[in-house]
């Protein structure tokens, strides 16, 4: 899958401005659509991806917009990461966003003018030198579980910068025992990668494990835990938000029986219905808690719309939880022609993207 995505990106990179390019690039903001410096354009289809990072009065948003506007002067400089296969493409990390762009000097007959063209936006993170895997926390120690078997009744799937941060985060959820110590639990650690599915990027001191690889490791942990004979009660896994996507990726690698496992999906940003149906078919108990998190509600709406069992109780329940989501943003592939700049357009969007 990654190689297909990378190949398509290279193809689109060389197509920029040609008649074969059907993308709609619009000015990023009114400040980047002047004759002062290079103009900055952005693919209008990225609006829903940008929307859930965008809060109009938030200091972080204002800083991100300002730094993107500064690409007019600094794009392609020493701070940018260069694509291995298309050296005129760049990636820069601005706060929590990875911004992918290319510099375009319009040749004769090309349909777009010279400037900076933003072709991708994705949530970024610092690279982690720790690998995904199973850990356990008790009142006495925190350690990696080499057997891959979760033996405690509580378990979590957690994405953090390091295992120490993940242990602290989950300890708060696990609570205290009668002696004031933390309740023992397991957690599957998911490192935050800086490399993603948008291609191979040269970055300083970076390591990464692709999501599909990590999903197979998670599936192995769940399989071993299911097959462990020492459990007296089901192991209850709690998985939140975007991390539920990892569970979705692991489904094809799970055994046919999971009756010793229970799952609580908290504000899942994934195809929730297909996950629930697949796990329940294997005998697992699954609960989906969708609160006021807008991305989870949009994901629920889209999952219900795509369900191949529209009349099932699961589909109806998930559809109800996403009833007031912004469906226009859930189906973001059919954008109309945009006549304003990107920032103003995103400001007018309500809700957020699905997944």
């Amino acid at each position: 899958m990654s190689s297909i995505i990378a190949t398509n990106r290279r193809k689109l990179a060389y197509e920029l401005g040609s008649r074969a390019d059907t993308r709609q690039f619009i000015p990023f903001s009114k400040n980047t659509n002047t004759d002062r410096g290079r103009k900055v354009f952005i693919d209008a289809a990225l609006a829903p991806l940008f929307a859930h990072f965008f809060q109009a009065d938030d200091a972080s948003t204002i800083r991100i917009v300002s730094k993107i506007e500064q690409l007019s002067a600094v794009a392609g400089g020493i701070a940018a990461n260069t694509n291995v296969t298309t050296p005129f493409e760049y990636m820069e990390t601005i706060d929590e966003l990875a911004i992918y762009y290319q510099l375009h000097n319009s040749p004769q007959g090309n349909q777009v003018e010279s400037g900076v063209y933003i072709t991708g936006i994705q949530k970024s993170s610092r690279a982690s030198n720790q690998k995904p895997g199973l850990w356990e926390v008790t009142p006495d120690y925190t350690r990696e579980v080499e057997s891959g078997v979760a033996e405690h009744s509580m378990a979590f799937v957690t994405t953090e910068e390091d295992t120490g941060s993940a242990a602290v985060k989950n300890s708060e959820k696990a609570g205290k025992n009668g002696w004031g110590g933390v309740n023992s639990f397991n957690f599957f650690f998911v490192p935050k990668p800086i490399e993603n599915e948008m291609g191979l990027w040269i970055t300083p001191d970076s390591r990464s494990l692709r999501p599909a690889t990590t999903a197979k490791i998670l599936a192995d942990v769940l399989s071993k835990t299911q097959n462990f004979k020492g459990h007296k009660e089901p192991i209850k896994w709690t998985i939140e938000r975007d991390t539920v996507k990892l569970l979705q990726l692991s489904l094809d690698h799970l055994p046919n029986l999971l009756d010793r496992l229970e799952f609580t999906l908290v504000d899942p940003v994934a195809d929730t219905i297909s996950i629930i149906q697949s796990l329940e078919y294997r005998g697992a108990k699954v609960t989906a808690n969708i609160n006021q998190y807008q991305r989870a509600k949009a994901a629920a709406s889209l999952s219900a719309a795509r369900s191949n069992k529209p009349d099932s109780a699961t589909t109806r329940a998930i559809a109800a939880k996403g009833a007031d989501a912004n469906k226009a943003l859930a189906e973001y592939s059919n954008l109309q022609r945009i006549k304003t700049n990107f920032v103003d357009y995103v400001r007018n969007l309500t809700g957020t993207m699905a997944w």
Side-chain angles (χ1 to χ4, degrees), residues 226-290:
Q226 164 66 27
N227 293 330
F228 182 63
K229 303 299 183 183
H231 294 140
K232 296 181 179 180
E233 57 185 24
I235 305 301
K236 299 178 180 179
W237 290 86
T238 299
I239 312 175
E240 299 182 5
R241 299 194 174 187
D242 288 275
T243 313
V244 178
K245 295 173 186 172
L246 196 67
L247 178 61
Q248 183 175 338
L249 285 173
S250 74
L251 293 176
D252 289 340
H253 308 288
L254 293 175
N256 291 329
L257 186 62
L258 292 174
D259 61 338
R260 295 177 178 173
L261 305 182
E262 294 183 7
F263 297 88
T264 298
L265 312 181
V266 181
D267 288 330
V269 184
D271 191 353
T272 309
I273 292 173
S274 69
I275 295 171
I276 293 174
Q277 291 174 339
S278 178
L279 293 175
E280 288 182 340
Y281 178 79
R282 291 172 164 89
K285 181 180 177 181
V286 188
T287 302
N289 296 332
I290 300 174

Side-chain angles (χ1 to χ4, degrees), residues 36-335:
R36 298 189 302 272
R38 288 176 292 200
K39 293 185 178 183
V40 179
F41 303 93
I42 186 168
D43 185 353
L46 296 173
L49 299 175
F50 196 83
H52 76 259
F53 300 111
F54 193 96
Q55 301 293 330
D57 298 323
D58 181 68
S60 175
T61 299
I62 294 172
R63 184 167 56 251
I64 289 171
V65 169
S66 176
K67 294 232 176 154
I68 292 177
E69 290 178 339
Q70 291 173 24
L71 290 176
S72 175
V74 303
I78 59 174
N81 302 299
T82 306
N83 194 297
V84 173
T85 54
T86 47
F88 51 86
E89 282 194 291
Y90 301 89
M91 184 267 282
E92 293 195 33
T93 301
I94 299 177
D95 283 13
E96 63 174 334
L97 296 184
I99 307 296
Y100 301 87
Y101 64 90
Q102 63 186 87
L103 300 180
H104 183 70
N105 294 314
S106 183
Q108 185 175 5
N110 201 275
Q111 297 185 94
V112 297
E113 58 187 303
S114 299
V116 180
Y117 284 78
I118 298 173
T119 58
I121 296 174
Q122 196 160 32
K123 191 169 183 178
S124 66
S125 61
R126 289 174 291 180
S128 172
N129 59 5
Q130 293 185 295
K131 296 180 179 180
L134 186 67
W135 288 68
E136 69 172 326
V137 176
T138 74
D140 301 316
Y141 55 79
T142 298
R143 68 184 181 188
E144 188 172 9
V145 181
E146 295 182 0
S147 68
V149 176
E151 296 190 37
H152 300 292
S153 61
M154 277 188 296
F156 305 90
V157 178
T158 306
T159 300
E160 275 296 335
E161 301 290 349
D162 53 62
T163 53
S165 300
V168 171
K169 178 179 179 180
N170 291 319
S171 293
E172 295 173 355
K173 299 174 185 176
K176 304 289 185 181
N177 60 28
W179 294 273
V182 65
N183 285 315
S184 298
F185 63 88
N186 289 102
F187 70 90
F188 182 84
F189 173 68
V190 183
K192 291 185 176 179
I194 195 169
E195 183 184 298
N196 52 48
E197 297 290 60
M198 300 185 77
L200 180 60
W201 296 85
I202 302 173
T203 55
D205 302 322
S206 68
R207 295 181 182 179
S208 69
L209 281 160
R210 288 173 47 201
T213 303
T214 306
K216 288 182 180 179
I217 300 173
L218 173 61
D220 186 55
V221 167
L222 295 175
S223 300
K224 289 180 177 178
T225 301
Q226 164 66 27
N227 293 330
F228 182 63
K229 303 299 183 183
H231 294 140
K232 296 181 179 180
E233 57 185 24
I235 305 301
K236 299 178 180 179
W237 290 86
T238 299
I239 312 175
E240 299 182 5
R241 299 194 174 187
D242 288 275
T243 313
V244 178
K245 295 173 186 172
L246 196 67
L247 178 61
Q248 183 175 338
L249 285 173
S250 74
L251 293 176
D252 289 340
H253 308 288
L254 293 175
N256 291 329
L257 186 62
L258 292 174
D259 61 338
R260 295 177 178 173
L261 305 182
E262 294 183 7
F263 297 88
T264 298
L265 312 181
V266 181
D267 288 330
V269 184
D271 191 353
T272 309
I273 292 173
S274 69
I275 295 171
I276 293 174
Q277 291 174 339
S278 178
L279 293 175
E280 288 182 340
Y281 178 79
R282 291 172 164 89
K285 181 180 177 181
V286 188
T287 302
N289 296 332
I290 300 174
N291 303 302
Q292 295 304 310
Y293 186 51
Q294 291 300 316
R295 292 184 62 215
K297 294 172 77 172
S301 175
L302 183 56
S303 182
R306 293 180 174 179
S307 174
N308 57 9
K309 296 181 179 179
D311 296 325
S312 71
T314 298
T315 299
R316 291 197 300 269
I318 297 300
K321 293 178 180 180
D324 60 346
N326 188 306
K327 295 179 177 60
L329 283 172
E331 296 288 356
Y332 59 85
S333 59
N334 295 319
L335 290 174

